[in-house]
Amino acid sequence: MAESEVTRRKRALRGSALQLGGGDRREATRTVLERLLTMPELLSASRVALYAAIQDEVPLGTALRHIAERGGRAAMPRLIPSGMEFREVRPDKPLRPGYRGILEPGPEALRVDLRKIDLFVVPGLLFDRTGGRLGRGGGYYDRALAEASPDALRVGICYADRIVETLPFEEWDIPMNLVVTESEVIRASRETQ
């Protein structure tokens, strides 16, 4: 089967995105987390999906504790043979290395129905101003978000140097409603296809 032009463009963009970053991002991380954790949308969400950062993704650090302290509940992804499921997490329960060493909740953690999650915080290699997201190429988040409630808010999070003008988009790609960086909150305009 021949590779599509969009697939080729995405592969090239992933290669370029993996070269970004480096250096001291402590101040940028602090600022982007402050923006995220003070968003009214996050403050009013009763169940929030988070992630464990890898490579140059924004580490969510205090987000889990912040959500728990205000009475909210959090979930994180766990990779399984059929894709990705979300399990409840708490600040007092340690995560463990899973697929490719990515930290995740253990199998004993309560499984969370995707339709019960109010807000998803989603990592990505690149985002654009219309809510387009370029992930790592496995399609895990796109498949999970397709099963979520249509009312769930999708919030991309990244550093400002990971915002590009436009990204290639395929019919199964799920756009973000908001993208948060250390310099701005982008209210995206792309609708789900």
Side-chain angles (χ1 to χ4, degrees), residues 117-136:
I117 297 174
D118 302 312
L119 187 146
F120 289 83
V121 180
V122 182
L125 292 173
L126 298 171
F127 291 91
D128 70 22
R129 294 188 167 281
T130 65
R133 172 185 166 270
L134 182 71
R136 296 185 182 276

Side-chain angles (χ1 to χ4, degrees), residues 104-123:
E104 62 183 25
E108 73 286 350
L110 179 67
R111 188 172 179 175
V112 176
D113 182 339
L114 288 169
R115 295 175 305 248
K116 306 265 184 195
I117 297 174
D118 302 312
L119 187 146
F120 289 83
V121 180
V122 182

Side-chain angles (χ1 to χ4, degrees), residues 47 73-76 78 85-90 105-113:
R47 190 177 305 255
R73 297 170 80 178
M76 290 180 76
R78 176 178 165 75
E85 64 184 11
F86 283 77
R87 300 272 179 152
E88 191 169 285
V89 291
R90 297 190 333 231
E108 73 286 350
L110 179 67
R111 188 172 179 175
V112 176
D113 182 339

Side-chain angles (χ1 to χ4, degrees), residues 75-192:
M76 290 180 76
R78 176 178 165 75
L79 293 184
I80 57 174
S82 61
M84 185 165 68
E85 64 184 11
F86 283 77
R87 300 272 179 152
E88 191 169 285
V89 291
R90 297 190 333 231
D92 62 334
K93 296 286 183 186
L95 301 173
R96 59 180 71 160
Y99 178 70
R100 294 188 177 175
I102 300 170
L103 293 177
E104 62 183 25
E108 73 286 350
L110 179 67
R111 188 172 179 175
V112 176
D113 182 339
L114 288 169
R115 295 175 305 248
K116 306 265 184 195
I117 297 174
D118 302 312
L119 187 146
F120 289 83
V121 180
V122 182
L125 292 173
L126 298 171
F127 291 91
D128 70 22
R129 294 188 167 281
T130 65
R133 172 185 166 270
L134 182 71
R136 296 185 182 276
Y140 293 108
Y141 270 99
D142 289 317
R143 287 191 299 276
L145 292 171
E147 298 296 320
S149 166
D151 296 328
L153 197 65
R154 300 173 307 273
V155 179
I157 185 169
C158 66
Y159 298 109
D161 63 354
R162 293 187 174 273
I163 299 295
V164 297
E165 195 59 38
T166 186
L167 286 169
F169 197 78
E170 296 177 282
E171 71 265 7
W172 56 79
D173 291 332
I174 305 292
M176 301 296 103
N177 304 108
L178 303 167
V179 179
V180 180
T181 76
E182 71 273 22
S183 51
E184 64 184 319
V185 175
I186 299 166
R187 304 240 171 228
S189 60
R190 183 177 285 165
E191 295 297 319
T192 302

